[in-house]
Structures are given as structure tokens and as C-alpha cells.
């Protein structure tokens, strides 16, 4: 096993890597993922996410490696009209980040149509949270976190005074947005299941949701983290965040049936492991001076 740090847009470097090593399959996680930033810097998102992916696919094809697992996102369901989201739902995108995921999915479908030797699995992640149970590996976003749980975590360790709850008037159980949180370890296992599925001769280009199938509100998530950490999370009830959906959660039937995979951790374990990581590493991989 070896490690090479390469920008996917650097085709010669990628060529060299594929020439020196024979890969059976690629799991492609590399991409920018901040919604707000993508609205401000669409060139950066299209360039990095789409050109990077096309370059990777071209080099894979040239070296006869035609098995891919790609990190897509539930964002491709746009603002779903109903829940749970099944893989057959119509697709749309609400911002450049989401469009990069949608376009890459379409590119993969086109590539498979042009050459049936490809085997591609597109995994639509719902809301990954938590950390590795060891407490050594976790999420450490740069700057102000966009996502709920990294923000809540920073409030819990005292780095931020309070959490803004974006929207309290949704038609959900407590008025706050509902999402389908999934433990990162379950998500990782979903990739192993997808890799195994790629050796199935009948697979072409397939898409699977990775979620638990359960919807949890912002207030429920905060309460669970408060319980796991023993810390109080001060809340500021704020307006809706522009572009947010009200309620999004996955249908997990297809993944259970065809990948033989299902999420095993609930909210409690997600918050336990999130807090374990946070309390051991309150400044993530950095130090108090190196963070905003
Ligand atoms: N959210 C919030 N405060 C924050 C960040 C997020 O209330 O500081 C809410 C957000 O409105 C949504 C939920 O938490 O209802 C999950 O947001 P996140 O950005 O993590 O995921 P996404 O909206 O992309 O599914």
C-alpha cells in the first residue's frame, strides 16, 4: 500500500500513477462541498469537481480500470416533494455544488451507455456525522462550519457561543428542519458493500442511497449531542437558511436489497462518537491559533 497526493486535474501525474500500479477499482471521494462557497465561486466548483472527475475517468479508461464508486449526494433530489426519497425520484440541483454532483452522475451514466465494460456505483450520501469510535479520525472543517453537527460540536467545546437554528416554522414535528443523519462508519461500510457489488457481472451503472431511513430534527440532534456531551448548547432561533429543504430522508430499501447493507448506528452512537472525537480534539487537527 502506498500513498500519493495528486490533484485529479493533473493528468500527467495521474497517468504516471495508473501506469505504475494496477488498480481494480477506484473510490472517488475528492471534491469541494460547501454550498455557499459554490454559489460565490462556481468556476472553482466546476473546475475542481467536474474537470477532476473527467480527468480521472479518462485516465481510468486508458488504463483499463473501469470500476468506480462515486460520492454523490442527496442534494441531487433538490427539494423533494415527498419522503422518503427513492432512487427513482426526479433529480434537480439548487446550487453549483449540487449541480456538480448531478452532472457527474449524468456523465457516469453516459460513459456507461457508451461502454458497457464500465461498472459504476453512485452513492447518494444523506447527512454523514459522527467520527471514528477511536476518537482519532473526525471532521475538521476550515473556518465557520456550514453543516449542523460540526457547528454544534464547536459550541460544545466552547469555540462558539451558540448555534443558530435555521428555521423554526417548518411543518415538521418541532418546526425545525428534518434530515437523515448517518454515522460515518456506516457510510464507510456502504462503500465496502458497493465495492463488493462491483464484482457482480450484472452490474452496470447503479445508484444507491446511503442513509438510515430515519428523519431527525435540528432540535432532536442538539438534544442528543447535549446528552452525549453533558454540555448545554445555547440556541438562537433564526430565520430559514435560503435554499434549505424542509424534510429530507432516504428510502434505504434498494441499498438493503441489492447491496446487502444497512446502517447499524443510531443518533445516540453518532453523538457519542462525535463527542469522543471533539473532546479529545477540541481544535480538530489544528491548535487554538490555527483555527478561525
Ligand atoms: N442547520 C442549523 N444551523 C446550522 C447549520 C444547519 O439549524 O448552523 C440546520 C439546517 O437548516 C438543516 C439541518 O440543520 O435543517 C442540516 O443542515 P446541514 O447543512 O448540516 O445539511 P443539509 O441542509 O445540507 O442537509
Amino acid at each position: 500500500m502506498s500513498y500519493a497526493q495528486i490533484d485529479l486535474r493533473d493528468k500527467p501525474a495521474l497517468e504516471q500513477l495508473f501506469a505504475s500500479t494496477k488498480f481494480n477499482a477506484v473510490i472517488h471521494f475528492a471534491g469541494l462541498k460547501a454550498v455557499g462557497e459554490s454559489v460565490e465561486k462556481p468556476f472553482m466548483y466546476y473546475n475542481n469537481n467536474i474537470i477532476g472527475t473527467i480527468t480521472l475517468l479518462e485516465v481510468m479508461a486508458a488504463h483499463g480500470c473501469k470500476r468506480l464508486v462515486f460520492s454523490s449526494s442527496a442534494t441531487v433530489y433538490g427539494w423533494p416533494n415527498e419522503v422518503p426519497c427513492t432512487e427513482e425520484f426526479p433529480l434537480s440541483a439548487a446550487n453549483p455544488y449540487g449541480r456538480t454532483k448531478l452532472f457527474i452522475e449524468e456523465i457516469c451514466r453516459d460513459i456507461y451507455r457508451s461502454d458497457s465494460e464500465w461498472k459504476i456505483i453512485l452513492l447518494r450520501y444523506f447527512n454523514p456525522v459522527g467520527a471514528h469510535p477511536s476518537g482519532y479520525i473526525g471532521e475538521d472543517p476550515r473556518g465557520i462550519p456550514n453543516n449542523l453537527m460540526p457547528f454544534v460540536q464547536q459550541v460544545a467545546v466552547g469555540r462558539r457561543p451558540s448555534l443558530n437554528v435555521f428555521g423554526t416554522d417548518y411543518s415538521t414535528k418541532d418546526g425545525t428542519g428534518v434530515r437523515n443523519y448517518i454515522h460515518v462508519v456506516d457510510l464507510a461500510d456502504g462503500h465496502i458493500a458497493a465495492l463488493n457489488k462491483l464484482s457482480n457481472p450484472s452490474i452496470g451503472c447503479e445508484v444507491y442511497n446511503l442513509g438510515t431511513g430515519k428523519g431527525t430534527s435540528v432540535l432532536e440532534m442538539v438534544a442528543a449531542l447535549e446528552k452525549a456531551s453533558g454540555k448545554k448548547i445555547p440556541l438562537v432561533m433564526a430565520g430559514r437558511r435560503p435554499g434549505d429543504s424542509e424534510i429530507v430522508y432516504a428510502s434505504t430499501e434498494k441499498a438493503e436489497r441489492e447491496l446487502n447493507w444497512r446502517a447499524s448506528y443510531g443518533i445516540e452512537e453518532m453523538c457519542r462518537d462525535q463527542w469522543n472525537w471533539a473532546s479529545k480534539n477540541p481544535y480538530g487537527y489544528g491548535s487554538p491559533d490555527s483555527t478561525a
Side-chain angles (χ1 to χ4, degrees):
M1 258 217 296
S2 65
Y3 173 75
Q5 186 170 345
I6 295 172
D7 186 319
L8 286 183
R9 295 164 296 183
D10 183 349
K11 201 169 187 179
L14 214 50
E15 282 282 356
Q16 211 173 19
L17 179 69
F18 274 76
S20 67
T21 313
K22 182 155 173 41
F23 295 104
N24 294 324
V26 170
I27 306 181
H28 173 25
F29 303 108
L32 297 170
K33 52 146 263 183
V35 171
E37 184 183 56
S38 81
V39 174
E40 277 159 31
K41 300 177 181 169
F43 277 133
M44 190 167 108
Y45 273 67
Y46 290 125
N47 191 310
N48 185 80
N49 291 7
I50 300 205
I51 310 253
T53 301
I54 292 174
T55 310
L56 172 65
L57 291 169
E58 282 176 340
V59 173
M60 286 173 67
H63 291 268
C65 173
K66 296 183 181 175
R67 292 180 182 198
L68 176 75
V69 176
F70 172 66
S71 309
S72 187
S73 163
T75 192
V76 300
Y77 294 122
W79 298 279
N81 289 329
E82 49 177 330
V83 279
C85 301
T86 69
E87 286 81 351
E88 293 74 36
F89 271 22
L91 304 179
S92 70
N95 51 64
Y97 158 72
R99 243 177 306 280
T100 66
K101 294 293 178 192
L102 189 51
F103 289 168
I104 293 168
E105 282 205 4
E106 299 293 11
I107 289 167
C108 288
R109 284 187 271 272
D110 284 340
I111 283 170
Y112 171 69
R113 270 182 220 117
S114 77
D115 175 358
S116 61
E117 279 182 14
W118 278 93
K119 293 174 179 295
I120 301 175
I121 292 187
L122 309 168
L123 296 176
R124 292 184 182 150
Y125 300 3
F126 279 69
N127 292 67
V129 299
H132 191 268
S134 64
Y136 289 121
I137 315 170
E139 189 175 2
D140 181 20
R142 285 185 211 142
I144 302 169
N146 296 292
N147 294 115
L148 177 66
M149 289 315 280
F151 201 105
V152 172
Q153 167 180 330
Q154 292 194 2
V155 177
V157 298
R159 285 170 60 183
R160 300 192 187 274
S162 56
L163 169 76
N164 286 316
V165 176
F166 295 143
T168 51
D169 58 349
Y170 288 115
S171 52
T172 57
K173 40 194 150 187
D174 55 25
T176 64
V178 166
R179 296 289 185 276
N180 189 173
Y181 300 94
I182 172 170
H183 196 298
V184 286
V185 170
D186 276 331
L187 195 79
D189 282 343
H191 291 71
I192 308 291
L195 267 186
N196 291 337
K197 183 77 178 175
L198 286 180
S199 27
N200 184 322
S202 66
I203 191 106
C205 181
E206 273 300 337
V207 45
Y208 296 100
N209 288 338
L210 293 185
T212 62
K214 294 195 180 73
T216 304
S217 73
V218 173
L219 295 184
E220 286 173 329
M221 236 18 220
V222 169
L225 201 277
E226 282 184 333
K227 192 167 169 220
S229 64
K231 306 281 178 191
K232 185 89 196 125
I233 308 293
L235 302 179
V236 174
M237 297 307 179
R240 294 182 177 194
R241 186 170 61 177
D244 260 1
S245 300
E246 179 163 88
I247 170 160
V248 184
Y249 60 87
S251 160
T252 57
E253 267 174 39
K254 188 178 177 200
E256 283 176 25
R257 197 176 56 239
E258 298 184 16
L259 292 182
N260 204 12
W261 166 91
R262 78 180 326 159
S264 57
Y265 295 112
I267 298 300
E268 207 172 301
E269 289 100 349
M270 295 177 210
C271 289
R272 176 198 67 199
D273 293 336
Q274 182 106 32
W275 178 244
N276 183 39
W277 153 251
S279 54
K280 285 183 177 150
N281 309 275
Y283 286 86
Y285 297 104
S287 62
D289 313 326
S290 64
T291 52

